[in-house]
Amino acid sequence: MEARTETVTVADGSFDLHLWLPPSGRGPVVLLIQEIYGVGPYIRRVAEDLAALGYVVGAPDLFWRLRPNWVSAHDEAGTALSIEMGSRFDVPHGVADSAVALAHLRGLPEAEGGAGVIGFCLGGSIGYLLAATVEVDAVLSFYGSAVPDAAGMMEKITCPLLLVFGGSDPYIPRERVSVVEKAAAGHSNVEVYVAEAAGHAFHNHEAPRFHDPEAARAAWDRAVHFLGRNLAPTTLP
């Protein structure tokens, strides 16, 4: 699988956009937004899985203003460091950087077809907020903790939107997920999927204390079909 790193320039500097190409070399683009651990092994594995399905995938280094190309382990020490890093992260900057990265992806010679966004944890929040500010063909947010408090922004989102949560997530309590479900009820473009027995970050195979293989498979199958319906035909499982 071909991969390379692009440079994206914004008003106050530049950052890396890690890129993975599908076997065909061309396809719809997917902006993959990192979790607090950076563009590490887990995000790279997700990127490879998406590229294998036919997408041109780009993962921006959103912590570049704090520490370029920050990557941390999914252990206790790494989690503490990543939480500290996340606490200093400027979310509006992250949304703006993601918008520029998405535009960069759309302008690549390999881009062909629609453009989508998928984010996990921190990236799930940024992806949701991005959907309310730019035109995009589909957005998929995995357990974005900012989504319940920003449920009112759903009024600004017109693209297909899939919001995935764990029903037993201690960081996003079930009653907060219910707020999102109620907000989504009147929007035909919004789907909320809750893996009721799963906790936070249940798709993350690098985090044994969070990972739920059965819930992860079910949610990923739904994600693949969602992207395939809204961007372009993919190699469905």
PDB file of all heavy atoms in Angstrom, residues 4-10 13-20 31-32 34 39 44 58-65 67-70 97-98 100-102 104-105:
ATOM      1  N   ARG A   4       2.403   8.282   1.917  1.00  0.00           N
ATOM      2  CA  ARG A   4       3.349   9.400   1.895  1.00  0.00           C
ATOM      3  C   ARG A   4       2.844  10.465   2.853  1.00  0.00           C
ATOM      4  O   ARG A   4       1.749  10.350   3.411  1.00  0.00           O
ATOM      5  CB  ARG A   4       3.509   9.951   0.484  1.00  0.00           C
ATOM      6  CG  ARG A   4       2.293  10.668  -0.092  1.00  0.00           C
ATOM      7  CD  ARG A   4       2.603  11.298  -1.454  1.00  0.00           C
ATOM      8  NE  ARG A   4       1.529  12.139  -1.959  1.00  0.00           N
ATOM      9  CZ  ARG A   4       0.599  11.739  -2.821  1.00  0.00           C
ATOM     10  NH1 ARG A   4       0.615  10.477  -3.278  1.00  0.00           N
ATOM     11  NH2 ARG A   4      -0.339  12.573  -3.229  1.00  0.00           N
ATOM     12  N   THR A   5       3.658  11.493   3.043  1.00  0.00           N
ATOM     13  CA  THR A   5       3.270  12.598   3.916  1.00  0.00           C
ATOM     14  C   THR A   5       3.239  13.890   3.122  1.00  0.00           C
ATOM     15  O   THR A   5       4.211  14.236   2.445  1.00  0.00           O
ATOM     16  CB  THR A   5       4.249  12.737   5.092  1.00  0.00           C
ATOM     17  OG1 THR A   5       4.259  11.525   5.846  1.00  0.00           O
ATOM     18  CG2 THR A   5       3.832  13.884   6.007  1.00  0.00           C
ATOM     19  N   GLU A   6       2.104  14.581   3.187  1.00  0.00           N
ATOM     20  CA  GLU A   6       1.934  15.876   2.546  1.00  0.00           C
ATOM     21  C   GLU A   6       2.142  16.971   3.600  1.00  0.00           C
ATOM     22  O   GLU A   6       1.997  16.731   4.806  1.00  0.00           O
ATOM     23  CB  GLU A   6       0.524  16.001   1.975  1.00  0.00           C
ATOM     24  CG  GLU A   6       0.194  14.986   0.885  1.00  0.00           C
ATOM     25  CD  GLU A   6       0.521  15.504  -0.500  1.00  0.00           C
ATOM     26  OE1 GLU A   6       0.242  16.686  -0.774  1.00  0.00           O
ATOM     27  OE2 GLU A   6       1.058  14.729  -1.303  1.00  0.00           O
ATOM     28  N   THR A   7       2.444  18.170   3.157  1.00  0.00           N
ATOM     29  CA  THR A   7       2.560  19.323   4.051  1.00  0.00           C
ATOM     30  C   THR A   7       1.391  20.269   3.786  1.00  0.00           C
ATOM     31  O   THR A   7       1.133  20.635   2.637  1.00  0.00           O
ATOM     32  CB  THR A   7       3.883  20.077   3.831  1.00  0.00           C
ATOM     33  OG1 THR A   7       4.971  19.195   4.119  1.00  0.00           O
ATOM     34  CG2 THR A   7       3.974  21.288   4.750  1.00  0.00           C
ATOM     35  N   VAL A   8       0.689  20.635   4.842  1.00  0.00           N
ATOM     36  CA  VAL A   8      -0.450  21.548   4.750  1.00  0.00           C
ATOM     37  C   VAL A   8      -0.068  22.848   5.440  1.00  0.00           C
ATOM     38  O   VAL A   8       0.396  22.848   6.588  1.00  0.00           O
ATOM     39  CB  VAL A   8      -1.701  20.939   5.406  1.00  0.00           C
ATOM     40  CG1 VAL A   8      -2.864  21.929   5.359  1.00  0.00           C
ATOM     41  CG2 VAL A   8      -2.081  19.631   4.726  1.00  0.00           C
ATOM     42  N   THR A   9      -0.267  23.959   4.760  1.00  0.00           N
ATOM     43  CA  THR A   9       0.116  25.266   5.292  1.00  0.00           C
ATOM     44  C   THR A   9      -1.111  26.077   5.688  1.00  0.00           C
ATOM     45  O   THR A   9      -2.094  26.145   4.941  1.00  0.00           O
ATOM     46  CB  THR A   9       0.935  26.050   4.247  1.00  0.00           C
ATOM     47  OG1 THR A   9       2.113  25.289   3.927  1.00  0.00           O
ATOM     48  CG2 THR A   9       1.366  27.401   4.789  1.00  0.00           C
ATOM     49  N   VAL A  10      -1.038  26.646   6.886  1.00  0.00           N
ATOM     50  CA  VAL A  10      -2.091  27.537   7.375  1.00  0.00           C
ATOM     51  C   VAL A  10      -1.430  28.867   7.762  1.00  0.00           C
ATOM     52  O   VAL A  10      -0.223  29.038   7.596  1.00  0.00           O
ATOM     53  CB  VAL A  10      -2.841  26.918   8.574  1.00  0.00           C
ATOM     54  CG1 VAL A  10      -3.652  25.719   8.131  1.00  0.00           C
ATOM     55  CG2 VAL A  10      -1.869  26.513   9.680  1.00  0.00           C
ATOM     56  N   GLY A  13       1.623  28.550  10.337  1.00  0.00           N
ATOM     57  CA  GLY A  13       2.616  27.491  10.214  1.00  0.00           C
ATOM     58  C   GLY A  13       2.184  26.398   9.268  1.00  0.00           C
ATOM     59  O   GLY A  13       1.348  26.615   8.382  1.00  0.00           O
ATOM     60  N   SER A  14       2.729  25.219   9.451  1.00  0.00           N
ATOM     61  CA  SER A  14       2.380  24.083   8.597  1.00  0.00           C
ATOM     62  C   SER A  14       2.405  22.803   9.412  1.00  0.00           C
ATOM     63  O   SER A  14       3.059  22.717  10.460  1.00  0.00           O
ATOM     64  CB  SER A  14       3.345  23.978   7.408  1.00  0.00           C
ATOM     65  OG  SER A  14       4.672  23.799   7.857  1.00  0.00           O
ATOM     66  N   PHE A  15       1.687  21.804   8.922  1.00  0.00           N
ATOM     67  CA  PHE A  15       1.629  20.530   9.625  1.00  0.00           C
ATOM     68  C   PHE A  15       1.592  19.383   8.620  1.00  0.00           C
ATOM     69  O   PHE A  15       1.302  19.571   7.436  1.00  0.00           O
ATOM     70  CB  PHE A  15       0.413  20.464  10.558  1.00  0.00           C
ATOM     71  CG  PHE A  15      -0.921  20.662   9.894  1.00  0.00           C
ATOM     72  CD1 PHE A  15      -1.644  19.585   9.407  1.00  0.00           C
ATOM     73  CD2 PHE A  15      -1.473  21.933   9.771  1.00  0.00           C
ATOM     74  CE1 PHE A  15      -2.886  19.766   8.799  1.00  0.00           C
ATOM     75  CE2 PHE A  15      -2.708  22.125   9.176  1.00  0.00           C
ATOM     76  CZ  PHE A  15      -3.410  21.038   8.688  1.00  0.00           C
ATOM     77  N   ASP A  16       1.896  18.183   9.135  1.00  0.00           N
ATOM     78  CA  ASP A  16       1.917  16.992   8.296  1.00  0.00           C
ATOM     79  C   ASP A  16       0.510  16.431   8.105  1.00  0.00           C
ATOM     80  O   ASP A  16      -0.302  16.415   9.041  1.00  0.00           O
ATOM     81  CB  ASP A  16       2.791  15.906   8.920  1.00  0.00           C
ATOM     82  CG  ASP A  16       4.281  16.207   8.808  1.00  0.00           C
ATOM     83  OD1 ASP A  16       4.650  17.076   7.997  1.00  0.00           O
ATOM     84  OD2 ASP A  16       5.071  15.566   9.528  1.00  0.00           O
ATOM     85  N   LEU A  17       0.272  15.960   6.900  1.00  0.00           N
ATOM     86  CA  LEU A  17      -0.951  15.220   6.577  1.00  0.00           C
ATOM     87  C   LEU A  17      -0.497  13.862   6.059  1.00  0.00           C
ATOM     88  O   LEU A  17       0.031  13.746   4.960  1.00  0.00           O
ATOM     89  CB  LEU A  17      -1.771  15.950   5.516  1.00  0.00           C
ATOM     90  CG  LEU A  17      -3.036  15.250   5.019  1.00  0.00           C
ATOM     91  CD1 LEU A  17      -4.059  15.113   6.141  1.00  0.00           C
ATOM     92  CD2 LEU A  17      -3.647  15.998   3.835  1.00  0.00           C
ATOM     93  N   HIS A  18      -0.653  12.841   6.878  1.00  0.00           N
ATOM     94  CA  HIS A  18      -0.224  11.497   6.520  1.00  0.00           C
ATOM     95  C   HIS A  18      -1.252  10.891   5.564  1.00  0.00           C
ATOM     96  O   HIS A  18      -2.455  10.914   5.837  1.00  0.00           O
ATOM     97  CB  HIS A  18      -0.066  10.645   7.773  1.00  0.00           C
ATOM     98  CG  HIS A  18       0.859  11.255   8.781  1.00  0.00           C
ATOM     99  ND1 HIS A  18       2.235  11.249   8.645  1.00  0.00           N
ATOM    100  CD2 HIS A  18       0.604  11.932   9.931  1.00  0.00           C
ATOM    101  CE1 HIS A  18       2.792  11.872   9.666  1.00  0.00           C
ATOM    102  NE2 HIS A  18       1.817  12.294  10.466  1.00  0.00           N
ATOM    103  N   LEU A  19      -0.766  10.339   4.470  1.00  0.00           N
ATOM    104  CA  LEU A  19      -1.637   9.937   3.367  1.00  0.00           C
ATOM    105  C   LEU A  19      -1.452   8.454   3.034  1.00  0.00           C
ATOM    106  O   LEU A  19      -0.328   7.951   2.995  1.00  0.00           O
ATOM    107  CB  LEU A  19      -1.312  10.787   2.141  1.00  0.00           C
ATOM    108  CG  LEU A  19      -2.257  10.708   0.941  1.00  0.00           C
ATOM    109  CD1 LEU A  19      -3.581  11.383   1.277  1.00  0.00           C
ATOM    110  CD2 LEU A  19      -1.619  11.381  -0.267  1.00  0.00           C
ATOM    111  N   TRP A  20      -2.579   7.778   2.793  1.00  0.00           N
ATOM    112  CA  TRP A  20      -2.585   6.384   2.347  1.00  0.00           C
ATOM    113  C   TRP A  20      -3.433   6.287   1.085  1.00  0.00           C
ATOM    114  O   TRP A  20      -4.545   6.829   1.038  1.00  0.00           O
ATOM    115  CB  TRP A  20      -3.183   5.467   3.414  1.00  0.00           C
ATOM    116  CG  TRP A  20      -2.338   5.314   4.635  1.00  0.00           C
ATOM    117  CD1 TRP A  20      -1.500   4.283   4.937  1.00  0.00           C
ATOM    118  CD2 TRP A  20      -2.272   6.221   5.758  1.00  0.00           C
ATOM    119  NE1 TRP A  20      -0.897   4.486   6.155  1.00  0.00           N
ATOM    120  CE2 TRP A  20      -1.353   5.663   6.682  1.00  0.00           C
ATOM    121  CE3 TRP A  20      -2.882   7.442   6.060  1.00  0.00           C
ATOM    122  CZ2 TRP A  20      -1.044   6.290   7.890  1.00  0.00           C
ATOM    123  CZ3 TRP A  20      -2.566   8.077   7.252  1.00  0.00           C
ATOM    124  CH2 TRP A  20      -1.657   7.498   8.149  1.00  0.00           C
ATOM    125  N   LEU A  31     -11.051  12.103   5.370  1.00  0.00           N
ATOM    126  CA  LEU A  31     -10.221  12.750   6.376  1.00  0.00           C
ATOM    127  C   LEU A  31     -10.386  11.966   7.676  1.00  0.00           C
ATOM    128  O   LEU A  31     -11.490  11.857   8.203  1.00  0.00           O
ATOM    129  CB  LEU A  31     -10.657  14.201   6.576  1.00  0.00           C
ATOM    130  CG  LEU A  31      -9.822  15.004   7.581  1.00  0.00           C
ATOM    131  CD1 LEU A  31      -8.445  15.311   7.010  1.00  0.00           C
ATOM    132  CD2 LEU A  31     -10.546  16.289   7.984  1.00  0.00           C
ATOM    133  N   LEU A  32      -9.297  11.420   8.177  1.00  0.00           N
ATOM    134  CA  LEU A  32      -9.296  10.606   9.393  1.00  0.00           C
ATOM    135  C   LEU A  32      -8.709  11.439  10.527  1.00  0.00           C
ATOM    136  O   LEU A  32      -7.527  11.799  10.495  1.00  0.00           O
ATOM    137  CB  LEU A  32      -8.471   9.338   9.157  1.00  0.00           C
ATOM    138  CG  LEU A  32      -8.184   8.441  10.355  1.00  0.00           C
ATOM    139  CD1 LEU A  32      -9.464   7.957  11.020  1.00  0.00           C
ATOM    140  CD2 LEU A  32      -7.319   7.254   9.916  1.00  0.00           C
ATOM    141  N   GLN A  34      -7.558  12.193  14.322  1.00  0.00           N
ATOM    142  CA  GLN A  34      -6.904  11.465  15.400  1.00  0.00           C
ATOM    143  C   GLN A  34      -7.621  11.531  16.739  1.00  0.00           C
ATOM    144  O   GLN A  34      -8.428  12.411  17.011  1.00  0.00           O
ATOM    145  CB  GLN A  34      -5.501  12.027  15.594  1.00  0.00           C
ATOM    146  CG  GLN A  34      -5.514  13.458  16.142  1.00  0.00           C
ATOM    147  CD  GLN A  34      -4.141  14.028  16.383  1.00  0.00           C
ATOM    148  OE1 GLN A  34      -3.386  14.241  15.443  1.00  0.00           O
ATOM    149  NE2 GLN A  34      -3.809  14.272  17.652  1.00  0.00           N
ATOM    150  N   VAL A  39      -1.372  10.433  15.738  1.00  0.00           N
ATOM    151  CA  VAL A  39      -1.484   9.570  14.562  1.00  0.00           C
ATOM    152  C   VAL A  39      -0.525   8.392  14.787  1.00  0.00           C
ATOM    153  O   VAL A  39       0.551   8.296  14.191  1.00  0.00           O
ATOM    154  CB  VAL A  39      -1.159  10.333  13.269  1.00  0.00           C
ATOM    155  CG1 VAL A  39      -1.398   9.443  12.042  1.00  0.00           C
ATOM    156  CG2 VAL A  39      -2.029  11.589  13.157  1.00  0.00           C
ATOM    157  N   ARG A  44      -3.218   4.639  12.275  1.00  0.00           N
ATOM    158  CA  ARG A  44      -2.607   4.161  11.029  1.00  0.00           C
ATOM    159  C   ARG A  44      -3.258   2.863  10.554  1.00  0.00           C
ATOM    160  O   ARG A  44      -3.435   2.653   9.356  1.00  0.00           O
ATOM    161  CB  ARG A  44      -1.096   3.983  11.224  1.00  0.00           C
ATOM    162  CG  ARG A  44      -0.371   5.320  11.378  1.00  0.00           C
ATOM    163  CD  ARG A  44       1.116   5.168  11.669  1.00  0.00           C
ATOM    164  NE  ARG A  44       1.745   6.472  11.783  1.00  0.00           N
ATOM    165  CZ  ARG A  44       2.235   7.168  10.759  1.00  0.00           C
ATOM    166  NH1 ARG A  44       2.175   6.649   9.530  1.00  0.00           N
ATOM    167  NH2 ARG A  44       2.779   8.351  10.940  1.00  0.00           N
ATOM    168  N   GLY A  58      -6.415  10.619   4.537  1.00  0.00           N
ATOM    169  CA  GLY A  58      -5.458  11.570   5.078  1.00  0.00           C
ATOM    170  C   GLY A  58      -5.694  11.794   6.557  1.00  0.00           C
ATOM    171  O   GLY A  58      -6.818  12.068   6.969  1.00  0.00           O
ATOM    172  N   ALA A  59      -4.633  11.647   7.368  1.00  0.00           N
ATOM    173  CA  ALA A  59      -4.725  11.873   8.813  1.00  0.00           C
ATOM    174  C   ALA A  59      -3.824  13.041   9.196  1.00  0.00           C
ATOM    175  O   ALA A  59      -2.596  12.916   9.171  1.00  0.00           O
ATOM    176  CB  ALA A  59      -4.319  10.617   9.574  1.00  0.00           C
ATOM    177  N   PRO A  60      -4.384  14.186   9.539  1.00  0.00           N
ATOM    178  CA  PRO A  60      -3.568  15.348   9.891  1.00  0.00           C
ATOM    179  C   PRO A  60      -2.996  15.256  11.300  1.00  0.00           C
ATOM    180  O   PRO A  60      -3.612  14.688  12.205  1.00  0.00           O
ATOM    181  CB  PRO A  60      -4.560  16.513   9.784  1.00  0.00           C
ATOM    182  CG  PRO A  60      -5.893  15.895  10.085  1.00  0.00           C
ATOM    183  CD  PRO A  60      -5.829  14.494   9.548  1.00  0.00           C
ATOM    184  N   ASP A  61      -1.819  15.817  11.480  1.00  0.00           N
ATOM    185  CA  ASP A  61      -1.183  15.911  12.792  1.00  0.00           C
ATOM    186  C   ASP A  61      -1.721  17.151  13.487  1.00  0.00           C
ATOM    187  O   ASP A  61      -1.171  18.245  13.349  1.00  0.00           O
ATOM    188  CB  ASP A  61       0.341  15.983  12.624  1.00  0.00           C
ATOM    189  CG  ASP A  61       1.047  16.304  13.931  1.00  0.00           C
ATOM    190  OD1 ASP A  61       0.527  15.907  14.996  1.00  0.00           O
ATOM    191  OD2 ASP A  61       2.103  16.961  13.893  1.00  0.00           O
ATOM    192  N   LEU A  62      -2.785  16.990  14.264  1.00  0.00           N
ATOM    193  CA  LEU A  62      -3.464  18.153  14.829  1.00  0.00           C
ATOM    194  C   LEU A  62      -2.783  18.738  16.061  1.00  0.00           C
ATOM    195  O   LEU A  62      -3.081  19.873  16.457  1.00  0.00           O
ATOM    196  CB  LEU A  62      -4.918  17.805  15.164  1.00  0.00           C
ATOM    197  CG  LEU A  62      -5.820  17.515  13.973  1.00  0.00           C
ATOM    198  CD1 LEU A  62      -7.254  17.339  14.436  1.00  0.00           C
ATOM    199  CD2 LEU A  62      -5.736  18.612  12.920  1.00  0.00           C
ATOM    200  N   PHE A  63      -1.866  18.016  16.673  1.00  0.00           N
ATOM    201  CA  PHE A  63      -1.167  18.544  17.846  1.00  0.00           C
ATOM    202  C   PHE A  63       0.112  19.291  17.470  1.00  0.00           C
ATOM    203  O   PHE A  63       0.967  19.527  18.315  1.00  0.00           O
ATOM    204  CB  PHE A  63      -0.827  17.402  18.816  1.00  0.00           C
ATOM    205  CG  PHE A  63      -1.994  16.896  19.626  1.00  0.00           C
ATOM    206  CD1 PHE A  63      -1.868  15.769  20.415  1.00  0.00           C
ATOM    207  CD2 PHE A  63      -3.221  17.541  19.611  1.00  0.00           C
ATOM    208  CE1 PHE A  63      -2.929  15.292  21.173  1.00  0.00           C
ATOM    209  CE2 PHE A  63      -4.298  17.084  20.364  1.00  0.00           C
ATOM    210  CZ  PHE A  63      -4.149  15.947  21.147  1.00  0.00           C
ATOM    211  N   TRP A  64       0.247  19.659  16.209  1.00  0.00           N
ATOM    212  CA  TRP A  64       1.503  20.222  15.730  1.00  0.00           C
ATOM    213  C   TRP A  64       1.910  21.500  16.439  1.00  0.00           C
ATOM    214  O   TRP A  64       3.100  21.778  16.597  1.00  0.00           O
ATOM    215  CB  TRP A  64       1.435  20.460  14.212  1.00  0.00           C
ATOM    216  CG  TRP A  64       0.462  21.522  13.772  1.00  0.00           C
ATOM    217  CD1 TRP A  64      -0.882  21.363  13.546  1.00  0.00           C
ATOM    218  CD2 TRP A  64       0.755  22.892  13.492  1.00  0.00           C
ATOM    219  NE1 TRP A  64      -1.452  22.553  13.146  1.00  0.00           N
ATOM    220  CE2 TRP A  64      -0.471  23.508  13.097  1.00  0.00           C
ATOM    221  CE3 TRP A  64       1.907  23.663  13.522  1.00  0.00           C
ATOM    222  CZ2 TRP A  64      -0.551  24.853  12.752  1.00  0.00           C
ATOM    223  CZ3 TRP A  64       1.824  25.013  13.173  1.00  0.00           C
ATOM    224  CH2 TRP A  64       0.610  25.583  12.791  1.00  0.00           C
ATOM    225  N   ARG A  65       0.949  22.287  16.904  1.00  0.00           N
ATOM    226  CA  ARG A  65       1.309  23.520  17.604  1.00  0.00           C
ATOM    227  C   ARG A  65       1.877  23.234  18.991  1.00  0.00           C
ATOM    228  O   ARG A  65       2.620  24.043  19.558  1.00  0.00           O
ATOM    229  CB  ARG A  65       0.092  24.441  17.741  1.00  0.00           C
ATOM    230  CG  ARG A  65      -0.372  25.062  16.434  1.00  0.00           C
ATOM    231  CD  ARG A  65      -1.536  26.016  16.669  1.00  0.00           C
ATOM    232  NE  ARG A  65      -2.023  26.584  15.423  1.00  0.00           N
ATOM    233  CZ  ARG A  65      -2.919  25.997  14.636  1.00  0.00           C
ATOM    234  NH1 ARG A  65      -3.426  24.812  14.981  1.00  0.00           N
ATOM    235  NH2 ARG A  65      -3.306  26.569  13.511  1.00  0.00           N
ATOM    236  N   ARG A  67       3.208  19.868  19.974  1.00  0.00           N
ATOM    237  CA  ARG A  67       4.358  18.980  19.806  1.00  0.00           C
ATOM    238  C   ARG A  67       4.177  18.221  18.501  1.00  0.00           C
ATOM    239  O   ARG A  67       3.380  17.279  18.427  1.00  0.00           O
ATOM    240  CB  ARG A  67       4.453  18.008  20.985  1.00  0.00           C
ATOM    241  CG  ARG A  67       5.730  17.203  21.013  1.00  0.00           C
ATOM    242  CD  ARG A  67       5.880  16.551  22.371  1.00  0.00           C
ATOM    243  NE  ARG A  67       6.954  15.584  22.369  1.00  0.00           N
ATOM    244  CZ  ARG A  67       7.288  14.846  23.418  1.00  0.00           C
ATOM    245  NH1 ARG A  67       6.602  14.962  24.542  1.00  0.00           N
ATOM    246  NH2 ARG A  67       8.271  13.986  23.354  1.00  0.00           N
ATOM    247  N   PRO A  68       4.891  18.615  17.454  1.00  0.00           N
ATOM    248  CA  PRO A  68       4.700  17.988  16.141  1.00  0.00           C
ATOM    249  C   PRO A  68       4.858  16.474  16.183  1.00  0.00           C
ATOM    250  O   PRO A  68       5.762  15.936  16.825  1.00  0.00           O
ATOM    251  CB  PRO A  68       5.796  18.641  15.284  1.00  0.00           C
ATOM    252  CG  PRO A  68       6.036  19.958  15.939  1.00  0.00           C
ATOM    253  CD  PRO A  68       5.877  19.705  17.415  1.00  0.00           C
ATOM    254  N   ASN A  69       3.921  15.809  15.493  1.00  0.00           N
ATOM    255  CA  ASN A  69       3.917  14.353  15.352  1.00  0.00           C
ATOM    256  C   ASN A  69       3.942  13.622  16.695  1.00  0.00           C
ATOM    257  O   ASN A  69       4.583  12.586  16.855  1.00  0.00           O
ATOM    258  CB  ASN A  69       5.067  13.899  14.451  1.00  0.00           C
ATOM    259  CG  ASN A  69       4.826  14.299  13.004  1.00  0.00           C
ATOM    260  OD1 ASN A  69       3.779  14.015  12.431  1.00  0.00           O
ATOM    261  ND2 ASN A  69       5.796  14.992  12.410  1.00  0.00           N
ATOM    262  N   TRP A  70       3.192  14.155  17.646  1.00  0.00           N
ATOM    263  CA  TRP A  70       3.028  13.521  18.955  1.00  0.00           C
ATOM    264  C   TRP A  70       2.357  12.161  18.806  1.00  0.00           C
ATOM    265  O   TRP A  70       1.306  12.022  18.174  1.00  0.00           O
ATOM    266  CB  TRP A  70       2.180  14.404  19.849  1.00  0.00           C
ATOM    267  CG  TRP A  70       1.591  13.717  21.046  1.00  0.00           C
ATOM    268  CD1 TRP A  70       0.343  13.185  21.154  1.00  0.00           C
ATOM    269  CD2 TRP A  70       2.237  13.477  22.292  1.00  0.00           C
ATOM    270  NE1 TRP A  70       0.153  12.637  22.396  1.00  0.00           N
ATOM    271  CE2 TRP A  70       1.308  12.800  23.122  1.00  0.00           C
ATOM    272  CE3 TRP A  70       3.509  13.772  22.796  1.00  0.00           C
ATOM    273  CZ2 TRP A  70       1.608  12.418  24.418  1.00  0.00           C
ATOM    274  CZ3 TRP A  70       3.812  13.397  24.094  1.00  0.00           C
ATOM    275  CH2 TRP A  70       2.867  12.733  24.896  1.00  0.00           C
ATOM    276  N   ASP A  97      -7.961  23.612  11.206  1.00  0.00           N
ATOM    277  CA  ASP A  97      -6.907  22.828  10.543  1.00  0.00           C
ATOM    278  C   ASP A  97      -7.514  21.657   9.769  1.00  0.00           C
ATOM    279  O   ASP A  97      -7.062  21.326   8.660  1.00  0.00           O
ATOM    280  CB  ASP A  97      -5.914  22.292  11.566  1.00  0.00           C
ATOM    281  CG  ASP A  97      -5.001  23.368  12.128  1.00  0.00           C
ATOM    282  OD1 ASP A  97      -4.981  24.486  11.587  1.00  0.00           O
ATOM    283  OD2 ASP A  97      -4.302  23.079  13.122  1.00  0.00           O
ATOM    284  N   SER A  98      -8.529  21.024  10.348  1.00  0.00           N
ATOM    285  CA  SER A  98      -9.167  19.890   9.681  1.00  0.00           C
ATOM    286  C   SER A  98      -9.852  20.330   8.392  1.00  0.00           C
ATOM    287  O   SER A  98      -9.834  19.610   7.389  1.00  0.00           O
ATOM    288  CB  SER A  98     -10.177  19.224  10.618  1.00  0.00           C
ATOM    289  OG  SER A  98      -9.529  18.644  11.733  1.00  0.00           O
ATOM    290  N   VAL A 100      -8.908  22.794   6.452  1.00  0.00           N
ATOM    291  CA  VAL A 100      -7.861  23.018   5.455  1.00  0.00           C
ATOM    292  C   VAL A 100      -7.307  21.679   4.959  1.00  0.00           C
ATOM    293  O   VAL A 100      -7.039  21.504   3.764  1.00  0.00           O
ATOM    294  CB  VAL A 100      -6.736  23.894   6.041  1.00  0.00           C
ATOM    295  CG1 VAL A 100      -5.607  24.069   5.031  1.00  0.00           C
ATOM    296  CG2 VAL A 100      -7.278  25.258   6.443  1.00  0.00           C
ATOM    297  N   ALA A 101      -7.144  20.727   5.872  1.00  0.00           N
ATOM    298  CA  ALA A 101      -6.658  19.405   5.474  1.00  0.00           C
ATOM    299  C   ALA A 101      -7.638  18.724   4.524  1.00  0.00           C
ATOM    300  O   ALA A 101      -7.230  18.055   3.565  1.00  0.00           O
ATOM    301  CB  ALA A 101      -6.426  18.537   6.713  1.00  0.00           C
ATOM    302  N   LEU A 102      -8.938  18.878   4.788  1.00  0.00           N
ATOM    303  CA  LEU A 102      -9.945  18.290   3.917  1.00  0.00           C
ATOM    304  C   LEU A 102      -9.883  18.911   2.524  1.00  0.00           C
ATOM    305  O   LEU A 102      -9.957  18.210   1.504  1.00  0.00           O
ATOM    306  CB  LEU A 102     -11.333  18.476   4.525  1.00  0.00           C
ATOM    307  CG  LEU A 102     -12.510  17.924   3.728  1.00  0.00           C
ATOM    308  CD1 LEU A 102     -12.394  16.408   3.552  1.00  0.00           C
ATOM    309  CD2 LEU A 102     -13.836  18.280   4.406  1.00  0.00           C
ATOM    310  N   HIS A 104      -7.277  20.198   1.178  1.00  0.00           N
ATOM    311  CA  HIS A 104      -6.041  19.694   0.567  1.00  0.00           C
ATOM    312  C   HIS A 104      -6.272  18.309  -0.029  1.00  0.00           C
ATOM    313  O   HIS A 104      -5.840  18.024  -1.160  1.00  0.00           O
ATOM    314  CB  HIS A 104      -4.937  19.637   1.626  1.00  0.00           C
ATOM    315  CG  HIS A 104      -3.589  19.272   1.079  1.00  0.00           C
ATOM    316  ND1 HIS A 104      -2.652  20.216   0.719  1.00  0.00           N
ATOM    317  CD2 HIS A 104      -3.026  18.058   0.811  1.00  0.00           C
ATOM    318  CE1 HIS A 104      -1.564  19.608   0.271  1.00  0.00           C
ATOM    319  NE2 HIS A 104      -1.769  18.298   0.328  1.00  0.00           N
ATOM    320  N   LEU A 105      -6.948  17.460   0.725  1.00  0.00           N
ATOM    321  CA  LEU A 105      -7.254  16.112   0.220  1.00  0.00           C
ATOM    322  C   LEU A 105      -8.081  16.181  -1.062  1.00  0.00           C
ATOM    323  O   LEU A 105      -7.812  15.452  -2.028  1.00  0.00           O
ATOM    324  CB  LEU A 105      -8.020  15.313   1.274  1.00  0.00           C
ATOM    325  CG  LEU A 105      -7.239  14.644   2.398  1.00  0.00           C
ATOM    326  CD1 LEU A 105      -8.204  14.000   3.380  1.00  0.00           C
ATOM    327  CD2 LEU A 105      -6.280  13.603   1.839  1.00  0.00           C
TER     328      LEU A 105
END
